[in-house]
Amino acid sequence: MNKRFDHKICVVTGAAQGIGQGVALALAAEGGAVVLADRSEFVHETAAAIRTQGGRCLTVLADLETFAGAQSVVDAAVAEFGCVDVAIHNVGGTIWAKPYQEYAEAEIEAEVRRSLFPTLWSCRAVLPQMIAQQGGSIVNISSIATRSIHRIPYAAAKGGVNAMSMSLAMEHASDGIRVNAVATGGTEAPPRKVPRNPKPMSEEEQVWYQAIIDQTVTSSLMKRYGSIQEQVGAILFLASDDASYITGTVLPVGGGDVGMG
């Protein structure tokens, strides 16, 4: 197996489940020491899986919708390992699925807090460390849902992730920092251990959600959802030195659905 992350200290946010967990396990398998950040206790299960395979990791429970939470992750990483070479910011995900006019004011704000602010705060927290060490790789997880239906606040948040990633790349290339984003497409994943919205969907909400699925498959040239591993492969590529001449890029991984930058 490749060991692209030997001697690399890698932060992964949202590491308790889904794509974030898949990224963390793959980084550890390729030799990285992984700092696992999440607000769910389930993140300890990811740590146990890594340690069972002989990998090194550290768990940090933090609310990444706050700057204090994001800073606590970087502080813990530096205290334990001395630096941060790779930061993969994965927290986000639409909470509700409905036409825009059906969203309440508080729901719109909650969607932006969930899918934009964790990446804004996490980038802000890790930048001083990467500037000080004059190097690092940041991969922010975006979405092809920047062109989608029934999740407009989420689309706006992920459009913000794309914009900040490209702008940060311009601002900090001179510091040896690469910043890219992966716009994930529809991805098959196990049921979430912690639902974003624990309230059962009404019949109308189920229809709205099914419309998202149908639109996602239709927009994909390959007419299917992808796997977690298909997303992980792209994320690790951009995080690694294999992509040493790539920065300021939003890479769509959606079977040919490119979304919109």
Side-chain angles (χ1 to χ4, degrees):
M1 173 179 286
N2 288 337
K3 292 288 185 179
R4 292 176 293 181
F5 298 95
D6 264 350
H7 311 299
K8 300 272 191 183
I9 310 305
C10 308
V11 169
V12 180
T13 69
Q17 57 192 316
I19 292 171
Q21 183 181 59
V23 166
L25 295 173
L27 286 168
E30 290 204 34
V34 190
V35 180
L36 309 163
D38 208 291
R39 64 184 178 189
S40 167
E41 296 279 352
F42 287 115
V43 73
H44 296 304
E45 295 181 4
T46 307
I50 288 173
R51 291 180 180 127
T52 296
Q53 297 300 316
R56 292 190 300 157
C57 64
L58 171 72
T59 58
V60 184
L61 290 174
D63 180 0
L64 295 166
E65 292 182 14
T66 69
F67 178 62
Q71 189 65 61
S72 73
V73 174
V74 175
D75 289 346
V78 174
E80 181 75 13
F81 298 113
C83 67
V84 178
D85 299 300
V86 172
I88 297 173
H89 301 140
N90 177 69
V91 173
T94 190
I95 305 169
W96 294 277
K98 59 177 103 177
Y100 188 44
Q101 69 273 15
E102 301 290 337
Y103 278 86
E105 179 181 355
E107 291 172 340
I108 293 169
E109 292 181 352
E111 293 278 11
V112 174
R113 283 197 308 273
R114 174 67 177 171
S115 290
L116 176 58
F117 274 94
T119 302
L120 277 171
W121 294 141
S122 293
C123 286
R124 174 61 182 82
V126 80
L127 269 171
Q129 176 61 37
M130 289 187 171
I131 292 169
Q133 66 199 34
Q134 285 292 283
S137 174
I138 297 172
V139 181
N140 296 323
I141 308 308
S142 176
S143 174
I144 58 167
T146 47
R147 186 174 63 182
S148 181
I149 63 169
H150 295 176
R151 43 186 173 167
I152 302 303
Y154 174 70
K158 289 302 191 180
V161 169
N162 290 347
M164 69 171 295
S165 299
M166 292 183 284
S167 295
L168 279 173
M170 293 181 70
E171 194 167 283
H172 291 288
S174 60
D175 295 307
I177 301 168
R178 295 188 301 106
V179 187
N180 293 289
V182 169
T184 60
T187 304
E188 296 284 359
R192 288 183 57 81
K193 298 170 185 174
V194 181
R196 296 190 185 100
N197 180 8
K199 184 179 177 182
M201 287 189 288
S202 68
E203 287 187 15
E204 186 175 42
E205 288 169 333
Q206 291 177 39
V207 170
W208 289 335
Y209 188 77
Q210 184 61 48
I212 290 177
I213 296 172
D214 294 344
Q215 179 260 302
T216 300
V217 172
T218 300
S219 297
S220 165
L221 300 182
M222 297 175 74
K223 305 304 178 191
R224 65 171 177 87
Y225 269 40
S227 69
I228 287 177
Q229 288 309 309
E230 285 173 317
Q231 301 298 341
V232 168
I235 293 164
L236 261 65
F237 165 68
L238 285 177
S240 76
D241 291 341
D242 287 349
S244 59
Y245 195 47
I246 301 174
T247 194
T249 293
V250 179
L251 175 63
V253 186
D257 186 346
V258 300
M260 291 181 69

